[in-house]
Amino acid sequence: MPKINFQNMGAGLNLDGFPNELAPSEWSGGQNIRFRDGYAEKSQGEVRVHGDLLAAPYGLFPTQGIAGRYWVYAGLQTLSAVENDTHTDITRAAGLYTGTVDNRWNGGVLSGVLVVNNGKDVPQFWGGNPAVKAADLTAWPPTLRAKVIRPFRNFLFALNLTDNGAQRPYALRWSHPADPGTLPVSWDIADPTKDAGEFDLADTSDVIVDAVPLGQALIVYKENSIWQMDYVGSPYIWSAKPVVSGVGLLAQDCVVPHPGGHIVLTQGDVVNFDGSTAQSVADGRVRRWLFDNLNADMYQRSFAVGNYRRNEAWICVPRTGSDWPDTALIFNWKDATWAIRDLAQASAGASGTIVYDLGNSWDADPDPWDTDDTSWNQYEYTQASPRLMLASAVSQRLVLVDTGKTFQGTAMVSRFEKTGMSFDAPERIKYCKSVRPRIEAQSGTTIDIYVGAQEDLENAVEWSGPVPFVVGQDLSADIEVSGRYLSVRFESSGIVSWRMKQFDIDVTVLGGY
């Protein structure tokens, strides 16, 4: 076996399987990588946007205002709106908010009006005028609190209630329907002239966590079950039925809608819920790794967000030792691949439209002149294209992801590795002479190549290298390594972009035990 060719290396990560049993096109490890169109490629970077914030952001909401597009970010005690680099404090005139770091902000846009909620204070609304402060939601019962508020159709839904101090975690209430451009005029469930209503989803003992639309239905996620709400009109207005039992939601904001349903981070898996069934998309690939590495004390700070221009669901979680999500496991629902990326202590994320001023202008471009292959003052998106924005309360900043080649100006390490390769002869000693990658990148880009060996899969890989491979100059990287199980790693640490679809390993079988 003088040369072994590995083709179509875009099948993604498999962190759960035994490395020696992976498909030839799967990778056993990596960092800051993604897979699409049959390629393995370095992740794009991120750039800080919107300048200095008025407060540490714990919630993030895109909305349309009277003067353009805004992002509203929620602090523990304040609300702020930003357009380009202009920040406005829109905190209610009645006083500061009282939530803590674990009172998750939630909400959405109803008929052009942003409604947000932290579970501790009266829900807030903001009409998009920076000269007008946010205010308590009109017609809201003064003694009622909801852990979650979500808009759907022309209703607002309040979930997991506390009514006059009494906790009602199974309760769900909806408002009277709002006229276009307005807010609901009533939440009074006792008024027969209004369509407001309430019921408990108490058939199961798990509590309500969140709700997300799916087609013409509102899907209510409890901890270990999924329910469907349908509009039925008078006199009942809404009906509810259980759809799936034994599968629920890990925390608020852990659902990503996509064309095939919802990608859902559950209590022990990542599933695709299509409206009737929930099928794992992580089992046998990343599920065990995810929950083995999840910080069990901070799991409720996890969130999921869609990167729609890349057909990706980002599962953002705090790993052991981190208080905030520091890792995104990324599922591409088009190619059914898993990838992984570092996060900078993210506290919230959202997908929404941005303004042109945040594009690849001369001042905004984070990449050095010598390594920048983007066009000056050109944009890779339209003004209406949704982009993924992340917030960090730790660093008190907003970042636009999938932009440039760096982490906010700092070079990022990107690597792919495939370990435990026995070439169907685990009892034989293999000798590697060289590795020849097919890398697409700017001429002169340097990729470091390592080759490793193990005598037994229980032993750690002993790596040799790195040997620099210069794109446009080198044909192969000569690395001599022998062992029963071989490994290969491709890594970059510079400000570069690159992708790879195949590589060869020059291997000779030396003998048996």
Side-chain angles (χ1 to χ4, degrees), residues 272-292:
N272 182 70
F273 175 67
D274 62 6
S276 58
T277 61
Q279 299 293 328
S280 176
V281 295
D283 190 42
R285 300 172 73 184
V286 299
R287 182 180 67 84
R288 178 169 52 82
W289 184 95
L290 169 60
F291 289 94
D292 283 350

PDB file of all heavy atoms in Angstrom, residues 272-292:
ATOM      1  N   ASN A 272     -33.519  16.605  15.692  1.00  0.00           N
ATOM      2  CA  ASN A 272     -34.318  17.359  14.739  1.00  0.00           C
ATOM      3  C   ASN A 272     -35.782  17.007  14.979  1.00  0.00           C
ATOM      4  O   ASN A 272     -36.178  15.844  14.848  1.00  0.00           O
ATOM      5  CB  ASN A 272     -33.936  17.034  13.302  1.00  0.00           C
ATOM      6  CG  ASN A 272     -34.731  17.864  12.305  1.00  0.00           C
ATOM      7  OD1 ASN A 272     -34.531  19.058  12.194  1.00  0.00           O
ATOM      8  ND2 ASN A 272     -35.645  17.228  11.582  1.00  0.00           N
ATOM      9  N   PHE A 273     -36.578  18.011  15.355  1.00  0.00           N
ATOM     10  CA  PHE A 273     -38.009  17.813  15.548  1.00  0.00           C
ATOM     11  C   PHE A 273     -38.727  18.342  14.320  1.00  0.00           C
ATOM     12  O   PHE A 273     -38.612  19.528  13.984  1.00  0.00           O
ATOM     13  CB  PHE A 273     -38.494  18.533  16.806  1.00  0.00           C
ATOM     14  CG  PHE A 273     -39.983  18.461  17.000  1.00  0.00           C
ATOM     15  CD1 PHE A 273     -40.598  17.248  17.282  1.00  0.00           C
ATOM     16  CD2 PHE A 273     -40.767  19.598  16.879  1.00  0.00           C
ATOM     17  CE1 PHE A 273     -41.972  17.168  17.442  1.00  0.00           C
ATOM     18  CE2 PHE A 273     -42.134  19.532  17.047  1.00  0.00           C
ATOM     19  CZ  PHE A 273     -42.753  18.318  17.334  1.00  0.00           C
ATOM     20  N   ASP A 274     -39.451  17.460  13.615  1.00  0.00           N
ATOM     21  CA  ASP A 274     -40.078  17.837  12.354  1.00  0.00           C
ATOM     22  C   ASP A 274     -41.566  18.139  12.479  1.00  0.00           C
ATOM     23  O   ASP A 274     -42.256  18.314  11.474  1.00  0.00           O
ATOM     24  CB  ASP A 274     -39.865  16.748  11.308  1.00  0.00           C
ATOM     25  CG  ASP A 274     -40.503  15.409  11.699  1.00  0.00           C
ATOM     26  OD1 ASP A 274     -41.207  15.346  12.733  1.00  0.00           O
ATOM     27  OD2 ASP A 274     -40.292  14.421  10.962  1.00  0.00           O
ATOM     28  N   GLY A 275     -42.057  18.204  13.710  1.00  0.00           N
ATOM     29  CA  GLY A 275     -43.470  18.455  13.949  1.00  0.00           C
ATOM     30  C   GLY A 275     -44.199  17.245  14.469  1.00  0.00           C
ATOM     31  O   GLY A 275     -45.284  17.377  15.050  1.00  0.00           O
ATOM     32  N   SER A 276     -43.616  16.065  14.277  1.00  0.00           N
ATOM     33  CA  SER A 276     -44.256  14.848  14.775  1.00  0.00           C
ATOM     34  C   SER A 276     -43.274  13.901  15.453  1.00  0.00           C
ATOM     35  O   SER A 276     -43.640  13.198  16.387  1.00  0.00           O
ATOM     36  CB  SER A 276     -44.974  14.112  13.636  1.00  0.00           C
ATOM     37  OG  SER A 276     -44.064  13.780  12.597  1.00  0.00           O
ATOM     38  N   THR A 277     -42.032  13.878  15.002  1.00  0.00           N
ATOM     39  CA  THR A 277     -41.028  12.995  15.593  1.00  0.00           C
ATOM     40  C   THR A 277     -39.756  13.778  15.880  1.00  0.00           C
ATOM     41  O   THR A 277     -39.474  14.804  15.250  1.00  0.00           O
ATOM     42  CB  THR A 277     -40.704  11.815  14.658  1.00  0.00           C
ATOM     43  OG1 THR A 277     -40.171  12.318  13.428  1.00  0.00           O
ATOM     44  CG2 THR A 277     -41.950  10.985  14.373  1.00  0.00           C
ATOM     45  N   ALA A 278     -38.988  13.252  16.817  1.00  0.00           N
ATOM     46  CA  ALA A 278     -37.699  13.847  17.179  1.00  0.00           C
ATOM     47  C   ALA A 278     -36.613  12.808  16.954  1.00  0.00           C
ATOM     48  O   ALA A 278     -36.560  11.785  17.651  1.00  0.00           O
ATOM     49  CB  ALA A 278     -37.707  14.306  18.634  1.00  0.00           C
ATOM     50  N   GLN A 279     -35.741  13.067  15.987  1.00  0.00           N
ATOM     51  CA  GLN A 279     -34.686  12.141  15.626  1.00  0.00           C
ATOM     52  C   GLN A 279     -33.324  12.747  15.955  1.00  0.00           C
ATOM     53  O   GLN A 279     -33.053  13.906  15.622  1.00  0.00           O
ATOM     54  CB  GLN A 279     -34.745  11.806  14.133  1.00  0.00           C
ATOM     55  CG  GLN A 279     -36.035  11.151  13.688  1.00  0.00           C
ATOM     56  CD  GLN A 279     -36.209   9.752  14.271  1.00  0.00           C
ATOM     57  OE1 GLN A 279     -35.219   9.040  14.493  1.00  0.00           O
ATOM     58  NE2 GLN A 279     -37.443   9.362  14.513  1.00  0.00           N
ATOM     59  N   SER A 280     -32.468  11.954  16.576  1.00  0.00           N
ATOM     60  CA  SER A 280     -31.144  12.443  16.941  1.00  0.00           C
ATOM     61  C   SER A 280     -30.309  12.747  15.703  1.00  0.00           C
ATOM     62  O   SER A 280     -30.308  11.993  14.732  1.00  0.00           O
ATOM     63  CB  SER A 280     -30.413  11.417  17.811  1.00  0.00           C
ATOM     64  OG  SER A 280     -29.096  11.866  18.095  1.00  0.00           O
ATOM     65  N   VAL A 281     -29.603  13.876  15.754  1.00  0.00           N
ATOM     66  CA  VAL A 281     -28.625  14.195  14.717  1.00  0.00           C
ATOM     67  C   VAL A 281     -27.208  14.158  15.290  1.00  0.00           C
ATOM     68  O   VAL A 281     -26.243  14.456  14.582  1.00  0.00           O
ATOM     69  CB  VAL A 281     -28.899  15.581  14.097  1.00  0.00           C
ATOM     70  CG1 VAL A 281     -30.223  15.583  13.371  1.00  0.00           C
ATOM     71  CG2 VAL A 281     -28.853  16.694  15.146  1.00  0.00           C
ATOM     72  N   ALA A 282     -27.106  13.796  16.585  1.00  0.00           N
ATOM     73  CA  ALA A 282     -25.809  13.815  17.261  1.00  0.00           C
ATOM     74  C   ALA A 282     -25.363  12.448  17.749  1.00  0.00           C
ATOM     75  O   ALA A 282     -24.173  12.248  18.020  1.00  0.00           O
ATOM     76  CB  ALA A 282     -25.848  14.778  18.454  1.00  0.00           C
ATOM     77  N   ASP A 283     -26.282  11.504  17.870  1.00  0.00           N
ATOM     78  CA  ASP A 283     -25.945  10.209  18.452  1.00  0.00           C
ATOM     79  C   ASP A 283     -24.899   9.486  17.605  1.00  0.00           C
ATOM     80  O   ASP A 283     -24.994   9.422  16.375  1.00  0.00           O
ATOM     81  CB  ASP A 283     -27.209   9.343  18.558  1.00  0.00           C
ATOM     82  CG  ASP A 283     -26.971   8.093  19.382  1.00  0.00           C
ATOM     83  OD1 ASP A 283     -26.306   8.184  20.424  1.00  0.00           O
ATOM     84  OD2 ASP A 283     -27.443   7.018  18.972  1.00  0.00           O
ATOM     85  N   GLY A 284     -23.876   8.951  18.273  1.00  0.00           N
ATOM     86  CA  GLY A 284     -22.807   8.244  17.587  1.00  0.00           C
ATOM     87  C   GLY A 284     -21.801   9.154  16.926  1.00  0.00           C
ATOM     88  O   GLY A 284     -20.881   8.668  16.252  1.00  0.00           O
ATOM     89  N   ARG A 285     -21.966  10.471  17.130  1.00  0.00           N
ATOM     90  CA  ARG A 285     -21.039  11.413  16.492  1.00  0.00           C
ATOM     91  C   ARG A 285     -20.484  12.427  17.500  1.00  0.00           C
ATOM     92  O   ARG A 285     -19.282  12.538  17.678  1.00  0.00           O
ATOM     93  CB  ARG A 285     -21.737  12.114  15.323  1.00  0.00           C
ATOM     94  CG  ARG A 285     -22.202  11.111  14.254  1.00  0.00           C
ATOM     95  CD  ARG A 285     -23.054  11.764  13.205  1.00  0.00           C
ATOM     96  NE  ARG A 285     -22.273  12.603  12.314  1.00  0.00           N
ATOM     97  CZ  ARG A 285     -22.798  13.351  11.354  1.00  0.00           C
ATOM     98  NH1 ARG A 285     -24.110  13.375  11.168  1.00  0.00           N
ATOM     99  NH2 ARG A 285     -22.016  14.073  10.585  1.00  0.00           N
ATOM    100  N   VAL A 286     -21.380  13.184  18.138  1.00  0.00           N
ATOM    101  CA  VAL A 286     -20.893  14.181  19.107  1.00  0.00           C
ATOM    102  C   VAL A 286     -21.694  14.192  20.400  1.00  0.00           C
ATOM    103  O   VAL A 286     -21.386  14.965  21.305  1.00  0.00           O
ATOM    104  CB  VAL A 286     -20.916  15.611  18.493  1.00  0.00           C
ATOM    105  CG1 VAL A 286     -20.022  15.702  17.265  1.00  0.00           C
ATOM    106  CG2 VAL A 286     -22.335  16.059  18.178  1.00  0.00           C
ATOM    107  N   ARG A 287     -22.727  13.378  20.509  1.00  0.00           N
ATOM    108  CA  ARG A 287     -23.618  13.455  21.681  1.00  0.00           C
ATOM    109  C   ARG A 287     -22.879  13.165  22.979  1.00  0.00           C
ATOM    110  O   ARG A 287     -22.972  13.918  23.956  1.00  0.00           O
ATOM    111  CB  ARG A 287     -24.795  12.481  21.520  1.00  0.00           C
ATOM    112  CG  ARG A 287     -25.794  12.540  22.683  1.00  0.00           C
ATOM    113  CD  ARG A 287     -26.938  11.569  22.471  1.00  0.00           C
ATOM    114  NE  ARG A 287     -26.475  10.198  22.525  1.00  0.00           N
ATOM    115  CZ  ARG A 287     -26.312   9.513  23.667  1.00  0.00           C
ATOM    116  NH1 ARG A 287     -26.537  10.077  24.832  1.00  0.00           N
ATOM    117  NH2 ARG A 287     -25.891   8.269  23.626  1.00  0.00           N
ATOM    118  N   ARG A 288     -22.160  12.069  23.036  1.00  0.00           N
ATOM    119  CA  ARG A 288     -21.469  11.711  24.281  1.00  0.00           C
ATOM    120  C   ARG A 288     -20.400  12.750  24.620  1.00  0.00           C
ATOM    121  O   ARG A 288     -20.252  13.139  25.781  1.00  0.00           O
ATOM    122  CB  ARG A 288     -20.846  10.314  24.147  1.00  0.00           C
ATOM    123  CG  ARG A 288     -20.067   9.855  25.370  1.00  0.00           C
ATOM    124  CD  ARG A 288     -19.719   8.377  25.268  1.00  0.00           C
ATOM    125  NE  ARG A 288     -19.073   8.045  24.013  1.00  0.00           N
ATOM    126  CZ  ARG A 288     -17.774   8.218  23.763  1.00  0.00           C
ATOM    127  NH1 ARG A 288     -16.983   8.755  24.688  1.00  0.00           N
ATOM    128  NH2 ARG A 288     -17.253   7.858  22.607  1.00  0.00           N
ATOM    129  N   TRP A 289     -19.659  13.203  23.614  1.00  0.00           N
ATOM    130  CA  TRP A 289     -18.628  14.214  23.860  1.00  0.00           C
ATOM    131  C   TRP A 289     -19.246  15.483  24.417  1.00  0.00           C
ATOM    132  O   TRP A 289     -18.711  16.084  25.360  1.00  0.00           O
ATOM    133  CB  TRP A 289     -17.900  14.519  22.553  1.00  0.00           C
ATOM    134  CG  TRP A 289     -16.754  15.476  22.711  1.00  0.00           C
ATOM    135  CD1 TRP A 289     -15.443  15.172  22.891  1.00  0.00           C
ATOM    136  CD2 TRP A 289     -16.821  16.915  22.696  1.00  0.00           C
ATOM    137  NE1 TRP A 289     -14.684  16.309  23.000  1.00  0.00           N
ATOM    138  CE2 TRP A 289     -15.506  17.399  22.891  1.00  0.00           C
ATOM    139  CE3 TRP A 289     -17.854  17.834  22.557  1.00  0.00           C
ATOM    140  CZ2 TRP A 289     -15.214  18.761  22.939  1.00  0.00           C
ATOM    141  CZ3 TRP A 289     -17.564  19.186  22.598  1.00  0.00           C
ATOM    142  CH2 TRP A 289     -16.254  19.642  22.785  1.00  0.00           C
ATOM    143  N   LEU A 290     -20.360  15.903  23.863  1.00  0.00           N
ATOM    144  CA  LEU A 290     -21.012  17.140  24.294  1.00  0.00           C
ATOM    145  C   LEU A 290     -21.378  17.083  25.761  1.00  0.00           C
ATOM    146  O   LEU A 290     -21.042  17.988  26.542  1.00  0.00           O
ATOM    147  CB  LEU A 290     -22.256  17.385  23.431  1.00  0.00           C
ATOM    148  CG  LEU A 290     -23.208  18.491  23.902  1.00  0.00           C
ATOM    149  CD1 LEU A 290     -22.507  19.834  23.966  1.00  0.00           C
ATOM    150  CD2 LEU A 290     -24.427  18.559  22.976  1.00  0.00           C
ATOM    151  N   PHE A 291     -22.040  16.026  26.175  1.00  0.00           N
ATOM    152  CA  PHE A 291     -22.533  15.990  27.554  1.00  0.00           C
ATOM    153  C   PHE A 291     -21.456  15.557  28.548  1.00  0.00           C
ATOM    154  O   PHE A 291     -21.560  15.859  29.738  1.00  0.00           O
ATOM    155  CB  PHE A 291     -23.790  15.122  27.636  1.00  0.00           C
ATOM    156  CG  PHE A 291     -24.965  15.790  26.968  1.00  0.00           C
ATOM    157  CD1 PHE A 291     -25.279  15.527  25.648  1.00  0.00           C
ATOM    158  CD2 PHE A 291     -25.711  16.730  27.652  1.00  0.00           C
ATOM    159  CE1 PHE A 291     -26.336  16.171  25.022  1.00  0.00           C
ATOM    160  CE2 PHE A 291     -26.773  17.379  27.045  1.00  0.00           C
ATOM    161  CZ  PHE A 291     -27.086  17.101  25.723  1.00  0.00           C
ATOM    162  N   ASP A 292     -20.413  14.907  28.070  1.00  0.00           N
ATOM    163  CA  ASP A 292     -19.268  14.642  28.942  1.00  0.00           C
ATOM    164  C   ASP A 292     -18.497  15.922  29.252  1.00  0.00           C
ATOM    165  O   ASP A 292     -17.864  16.038  30.310  1.00  0.00           O
ATOM    166  CB  ASP A 292     -18.311  13.638  28.287  1.00  0.00           C
ATOM    167  CG  ASP A 292     -18.824  12.211  28.374  1.00  0.00           C
ATOM    168  OD1 ASP A 292     -19.811  11.967  29.089  1.00  0.00           O
ATOM    169  OD2 ASP A 292     -18.242  11.334  27.699  1.00  0.00           O
TER     170      ASP A 292
END
